[in-house]
């Protein structure tokens, strides 16, 4: 089985600290703790930047807890290919599965527990670029920053089309 974006490896490691540093370089500093013991930890991280958007594949190979610092300058859409994750923020909690993606955003601290087998496609979107495109589309400066619902159902027509587009981009890059 060929893994998504495998031509663009960023990390392949059984060392938790090494994997945390490599993923942190692409996204943000965070805490990373295996929940099944260090022996089963085997991270695979692939990715490519396409201007203001990055496409990534991430699998930690075991259950982990992830506590990122605030996402200051990007949005991160997490689309599980397999498995699930529990993601909690201020006043909310959700289970992300192959039927429910999650959207992390600037100024919204989160804590995540990824299950063993939770392989994800990640879409990294620069917040300044997104806000600039919205400003140009509206013809004025928005009063507030863009806020998304932290969960995105993947069974609706629009959402399903969006995921197909992401997978088409990944296939094209591969």
């Amino acid at each position: 089985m060929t893994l998504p974006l495998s031509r663009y490896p960023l990390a392949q490691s059984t060392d938790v600290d090494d994997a945390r540093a490599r993923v942190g370089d692409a996204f943000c500093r965070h805490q990373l703790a295996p929940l099944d013991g260090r022996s089963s930890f085997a991270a695979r991280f692939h990715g490519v930047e396409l201007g203001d958007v990055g496409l990534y594949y991430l699998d930690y190979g075991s259950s982990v807890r992830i506590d990122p610092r605030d996402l200051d300058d990007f949005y991160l859409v997490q689309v599980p290919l397999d498995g699930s994750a529990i993601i909690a923020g201020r006043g909310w909690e959700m289970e992300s599965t192959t039927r429910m993606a999650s959207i992390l955003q600037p100024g919204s601290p989160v804590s995540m527990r990824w299950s063993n087998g939770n392989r994800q496609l990640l879409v990294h979107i620069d917040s300044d670029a997104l806000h600039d495109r919205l400003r140009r589309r509206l013809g004025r400066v928005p009063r507030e920053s863009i806020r998304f619902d932290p969960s995105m159902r993947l069974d609706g027509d629009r959402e399903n089309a969006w995921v197909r587009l992401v997978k088409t981009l990944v296939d094209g890059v591969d």
Side-chain angles (χ1 to χ4, degrees), residues 23 27 30-36 40-45 56-68 76-88 94-97 100-102 104 110-123:
V23 173
F27 300 133
H30 60 283
Q31 297 298 315
L32 177 65
L35 300 174
D36 298 335
S40 64
F41 184 87
R44 287 186 173 274
F45 183 44
Y56 298 89
Y57 168 82
L58 181 57
D59 178 8
Y60 285 112
S62 69
S63 297
V64 294
R65 179 180 172 126
I66 307 164
D67 292 306
L76 188 67
V77 183
Q78 301 182 120
V79 181
L81 299 173
D82 292 306
S84 64
I86 301 296
I87 303 166
M94 65 162 298
E95 181 177 17
S96 181
T97 66
M100 180 76 71
S102 60
L104 309 182
V110 297
S111 179
M112 300 179 280
R113 291 184 316 276
W114 284 24
S115 69
N116 185 17
N118 183 37
R119 302 177 321 112
Q120 295 209 17
L121 279 180
L122 308 170
V123 181

Side-chain angles (χ1 to χ4, degrees), residues 99-160:
R99 297 179 56 131
M100 180 76 71
S102 60
I103 304 174
L104 309 182
Q105 48 207 322
S108 295
V110 297
S111 179
M112 300 179 280
R113 291 184 316 276
W114 284 24
S115 69
N116 185 17
N118 183 37
R119 302 177 321 112
Q120 295 209 17
L121 279 180
L122 308 170
V123 181
H124 178 282
I125 305 167
D126 180 84
S127 62
D128 287 340
L130 184 62
H131 292 139
D132 184 55
R133 282 181 178 75
L134 177 62
R135 179 192 54 77
R136 286 186 297 179
R137 181 120 171 124
L138 294 174
R140 61 176 173 77
V141 175
R143 285 176 258 179
E144 299 177 12
S145 293
I146 299 171
R147 305 302 305 160
F148 294 101
D149 189 312
S151 59
M152 181 172 74
R153 295 186 64 83
L154 299 177
D155 53 4
D157 290 340
R158 283 185 238 150
E159 296 84 355
N160 196 288

